Amino acid sequence: MKPHVTCLMATSVDGRILPRRWRPQGGSGGLFEKVHDEIGCDAWIVGRVTGQEFARGNPYAKSAAKSLPRDNFLVQRDATAYGVVLDAEGKIGWGRADIGGDPIVAVLTRQVGDTHLQGLRDDGVSYIFAGDRTLDLAAALETLNRELGIKRVLLEGGGVANGAFLRAGLIDELSLILCPAVDGAKGAPCLFDSTDADAGVAAPVKAMTLLSSTVLEGGAVWLRYAMENG
């Protein structure tokens, strides 16, 4: 069973997602965190680049004492919420087991080496496998539901991760905080982005239905859309 996936993001009016570049300055002013808490979730998902911002360690270098099976490794199964990070090649050395109290779950491909798996185990970080050389996002969601009982997921960037879920037809709802700011120049990722290899792949979105629009403090607007894929 696939969890319900809501993509929650805060953007400038031109759809960019790096607040440090926005003008006027001020970012989302804490609105993202407030909306995140209001919606609630069993897990939140970010891509590797965003996940790296939370890491405290270096890439794992200690060799594994033995070959490790490519089986899911779950340290905790009863958390209120999990921080799920897509890390297909196993590049993040965590140096921690949770983010803000939410246990980390790394989503890997089976190509990841034993050294990285041992490092995750040493840090107390859970991991699951989804694909051999590229991530199978649908399989990852199904595993999170089956193994951890996750039913509601907030997808929270970056742009490449959001775009991958969009093109896979896996986003059920878009929850967008539109902030009164502009970026106005090239170089920043968008709400939905892609790698060069996926630049020509169209998203299978058939319809978007406005569920609600709410004016927030500071002139921001919270827009909620139901997504119909097919």
Side-chain angles (χ1 to χ4, degrees), residues 1-20:
M1 175 177 166
K2 184 186 85 66
H4 183 278
V5 178
T6 297
C7 181
L8 170 63
M9 294 293 290
T11 75
S12 61
V13 295
D14 49 349
R16 305 302 182 89
I17 61 174
L18 290 184
R20 66 177 180 271

Side-chain angles (χ1 to χ4, degrees), residues 139-222:
L141 291 174
E142 291 170 1
T143 298
L144 291 172
N145 173 262
R146 182 181 66 253
E147 298 284 355
L148 297 173
I150 291 171
K151 297 179 180 178
R152 298 171 302 139
V153 168
L154 290 179
L155 173 63
E156 299 181 339
V160 172
N162 292 345
F165 274 85
L166 182 74
R167 288 185 296 278
L170 296 173
I171 297 178
D172 302 294
E173 183 178 327
L174 172 61
S175 199
L176 176 65
I177 304 168
L178 191 63
C179 299
V182 295
D183 183 306
K186 294 181 179 180
C190 302
L191 169 62
F192 296 109
D193 217 329
S194 74
T195 62
D196 291 340
D198 294 325
V201 180
V205 178
K206 296 176 63 177
M208 294 177 62
T209 302
L210 182 65
L211 299 175
S212 66
S213 60
T214 306
V215 177
L216 303 176
E217 59 190 80
V221 181
W222 177 16

Side-chain angles (χ1 to χ4, degrees), residues 9 23 32-33 36 45 48 57 60 62 72 87 95 101 107 112 117 127 146-147 163 166 181 185 194 212:
M9 294 293 290
R23 295 296 183 274
F32 180 88
E33 291 77 12
H36 172 105
I45 297 179
R48 184 190 63 78
Y60 301 120
K62 178 182 175 182
N72 299 328
D87 190 13
V107 182
V112 172
L117 299 184
Y127 56 81
R146 182 181 66 253
E147 298 284 355
L166 182 74
S194 74
S212 66

Side-chain angles (χ1 to χ4, degrees), residues 65-157:
K66 60 181 179 179
S67 178
L68 296 171
R70 292 327 186 244
D71 297 328
N72 299 328
F73 176 77
L74 298 169
V75 177
Q76 186 174 350
R77 293 177 179 267
D78 59 352
T80 301
Y82 297 87
V84 180
V85 181
L86 308 178
D87 190 13
E89 299 178 7
K91 293 184 176 181
I92 302 176
W94 284 103
R96 63 190 304 176
D98 68 86
I99 300 171
D102 298 338
I104 299 167
V105 180
V107 182
L108 314 171
T109 56
R110 293 180 183 86
Q111 68 174 321
V112 172
D114 292 330
T115 295
H116 189 78
L117 299 184
Q118 187 63 60
L120 293 175
R121 290 178 177 232
D122 291 344
D123 278 343
V125 173
S126 297
Y127 56 81
I128 64 173
F129 293 98
D132 293 326
R133 302 194 67 82
T134 59
L135 286 179
D136 183 333
L137 299 177
L141 291 174
E142 291 170 1
T143 298
L144 291 172
N145 173 262
R146 182 181 66 253
E147 298 284 355
L148 297 173
I150 291 171
K151 297 179 180 178
R152 298 171 302 139
V153 168
L154 290 179
L155 173 63
E156 299 181 339

